[in-house]
Each structure stands twice: as structure tokens, then as C-alpha cells.
């Protein structure tokens, strides 16, 4: 399975601190075209795995997840280096995470944001459950998108949001727009929208929000 890992000798980096005791988490990005990017994340700076497959590649995705869960990475990199020219594209896909979280009974178990469930402690079933979470996530989030877009009213709302976000380029306008940006972040299932126009309009709103944030941070640092 290692041939599917985009983290390789050509893009590896040397961590500048000890990462040997870090717990592996998994970030899963899903596109509107049913591509899946599975990332074995070590911490905010480093990854040991990144692969891009198809939603339908269930057996391949399960094998990839098993490989990540082993935690034996040949090379370390970051997401930008590993994904290369597809980095910006993948970051615009819809995402959920699976990570270790303390269960009420005291066990440190893998927890999935997709269904808000703990995945148990039987290692032989973990990858199977995780693949199930990909399917569950895609189905539920796409259904949210369909309900949101039952008529054209939300399209008009998005256009209004974009106009608001572009109205003022001063750095402190970000503070005024934070509530709106919060609303947009909660609508992230629109990244799966099969309608190109609506999806691109939503991503344009996020792009303007990111620009406001960056200008604000540049000014207050």
C-alpha cells in the first residue's frame, strides 16, 4: 500500500522536534466529484501519509487506513509538500477528522467527527469502521446540501453574503464580519454541492473571509 502514499523521499522533511510520542489522527477530505484524500496527521506541522483515491475504492481505502493506524511511516512531510499542485484544491474539499479522545469509561479511543461516535478498541475492525464513516459523512452532508438548496433562496443569500464580505477592505472590518463568517463555516457541506455555480460562490465567500482574516492578523500582530 505504500505506493499510494504521496509522502515520499522527494518531499520529505526532517522534523525540528521529537514527534515519536505523538498520537496519529486522521483527516479525511471528500470532494464533490467523490475523490477522497486520507491524511495520517502527526500534529499541526507534520504528516506521515497522504493519498488520493476514489470514494468507491472501499477496499483500497480500508487498506490505507490500516497502514496509517500502524503508525510506521518511512518519511515525514507536511500537507503542502505532499499534495503539491493539488494542495489548494484539496483544502477546498469537505473534511472531517478521526482522532483519539478520552471515553467516559476512561479509555483513549478513536472518535469520529462524522457521526460523533467512538469507534471502539478492537483494532481489527477500526479501519472498517473508519471507511464506514467516510460513507456516512458523504451521504449525510450531501443530504444537508440538497435540503438547503430546495429552491433558489439560498443562492440569493450567498450572493448577498459575498457582497457584504467585499464591501470594506479595512482590517477591522473582519471583526464586524465574524458572525457572518461563523455562519459560512457552519455551511461547509456546500463544498459537496453538485451545482458548480453555487459551490464556487460559496468558496468565493470563504476566500473573501480568509482575506479579511489575513488583513486583520497582519495589522494586529
Amino acid at each position: 500500500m505504500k505506493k499510494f502514499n504521496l509522502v515520499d523521499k522527494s518531499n520529505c522533511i526532517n522534523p525540528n522536534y521529537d514527534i515519536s510520542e505523538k498520537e496519529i489522527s486522521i483527516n479525511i477530505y471528500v470532494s464533490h466529484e467523490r475523490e477522497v484524500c486520507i491524511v495520517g496527521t502527526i500534529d499541526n506541522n507534520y504528516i506521515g501519509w497522504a493519498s488520493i483515491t476514489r470514494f468507491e475504492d472501499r477496499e483500497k481505502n480500508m487498506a490505507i487506513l490500516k497502514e496509517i493506524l500502524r503508525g510506521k511511516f518511512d518519511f515525514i512531510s507536511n500537507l503542502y509538500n505532499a499534495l503539491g499542485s493539488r494542495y489548494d484544491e484539496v483544502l477546498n474539499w469537505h473534511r472531517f477528522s478521526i482522532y483519539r479522545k478520552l471515553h467516559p469509561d476512561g479509555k483513549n479511543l478513536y472518535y469520529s467527527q462524522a457521526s460523533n461516535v467512538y469507534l471502539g478498541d478492537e483494532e481489527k475492525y477500526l479501519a472498517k469502521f473508519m471507511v464506514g464513516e467516510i460513507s456516512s459523512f458523504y451521504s449525510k452532508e450531501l443530504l444537508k446540501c440538497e435540503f438547503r438548496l430546495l429552491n433558489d433562496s439560498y443562492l440569493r443569500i450567498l450572493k448577498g453574503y459575498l457582497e457584504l464580505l467585499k464591501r470594506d477592505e479595512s482590517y477591522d472590518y473582519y471583526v464586524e464580519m465574524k458572525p457572518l463568517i461563523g455562519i459560512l463555516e457552519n455551511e461547509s457541506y456546500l463544498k459537496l454541492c453538485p451545482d458548480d455555480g453555487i459551490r464556487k460562490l460559496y468558496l468565493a465567500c470563504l476566500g473573501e473571509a480568509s482575506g479579511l482574516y489575513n488583513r486583520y492578523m497582519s495589522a494586529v500582530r
Side-chain angles (χ1 to χ4, degrees):
M1 294 307 299
K2 291 183 179 180
K3 65 182 180 181
F4 296 109
N5 191 1
L6 298 174
V7 176
D8 58 27
K9 190 175 182 178
S10 69
N11 56 53
C12 67
I13 56 179
N14 292 318
N16 55 16
Y17 54 85
D18 184 15
I19 60 172
S20 61
E21 300 301 318
K22 299 283 186 178
E23 288 187 337
I24 304 301
S25 60
I26 299 168
N27 289 326
I28 298 173
Y29 300 79
V30 184
S31 81
H32 70 285
E33 293 182 327
R34 298 168 69 89
E35 283 188 283
V36 177
C37 179
I38 303 176
V39 181
T41 302
I42 297 169
D43 64 11
N44 290 333
N45 297 312
Y46 301 114
I47 67 171
W49 187 286
S51 56
I52 297 178
T53 56
R54 297 289 305 174
F55 181 84
E56 296 81 9
D57 295 335
R58 186 180 176 88
E59 294 302 319
K60 183 186 294 182
N61 290 334
M62 193 181 307
I64 286 170
L65 288 163
K66 286 180 179 177
E67 192 68 29
I68 292 172
L69 289 169
R70 287 180 62 243
K72 306 295 184 182
F73 303 125
D74 293 333
F75 303 101
I76 303 300
S77 189
N78 56 44
L79 195 59
Y80 178 81
N81 286 337
L83 294 183
S85 63
R86 300 199 70 179
Y87 175 78
D88 290 331
E89 175 193 353
V90 171
L91 256 60
N92 280 328
W93 295 359
H94 199 18
R95 190 195 86 169
F96 73 98
S97 298
I98 299 175
Y99 52 88
R100 292 277 190 182
K101 183 177 179 180
L102 193 63
H103 189 275
D105 69 5
K107 292 182 179 180
N108 193 28
L109 304 177
Y110 276 105
Y111 174 85
S112 172
Q113 289 180 330
S115 301
N116 296 315
V117 296
Y118 292 91
L119 301 181
D121 57 359
E122 294 190 59
E123 291 187 7
K124 63 180 179 179
Y125 296 122
L126 272 176
K128 181 178 181 181
F129 291 156
M130 290 178 180
V131 167
E133 286 297 286
I134 298 174
S135 298
S136 176
F137 176 76
Y138 181 82
S139 299
K140 289 190 296 186
E141 297 297 281
L142 187 60
L143 192 58
K144 287 181 187 178
C145 187
E146 291 173 359
F147 281 130
R148 171 59 83 190
L149 303 173
L150 282 174
N151 54 51
D152 291 336
S153 61
Y154 200 66
L155 176 60
R156 294 193 295 272
I157 290 171
L158 279 176
K159 288 179 179 178
Y161 286 166
L162 185 59
E163 290 176 7
L164 273 174
L165 291 164
K166 296 171 73 172
R167 181 172 295 176
D168 190 335
E169 293 188 359
S170 60
Y171 79 91
D172 54 349
Y173 189 56
Y174 167 74
V175 178
E176 185 178 340
M177 289 293 100
K178 278 186 73 175
L180 173 55
I181 293 170
I183 291 172
L184 286 166
E185 289 172 344
N186 288 331
E187 303 285 320
S188 58
Y189 52 80
L190 290 172
K191 292 177 178 180
L192 295 177
C193 182
D195 185 308
D196 285 350
I198 292 174
R199 189 182 63 259
K200 289 177 181 177
L201 180 58
Y202 173 73
L203 291 174
C205 287
L206 291 184
E208 290 296 328
S210 178
L212 286 174
Y213 172 77
N214 290 336
R215 285 196 291 275
Y216 175 78
M217 293 304 295
S218 295
V220 300
R221 279 188 183 127

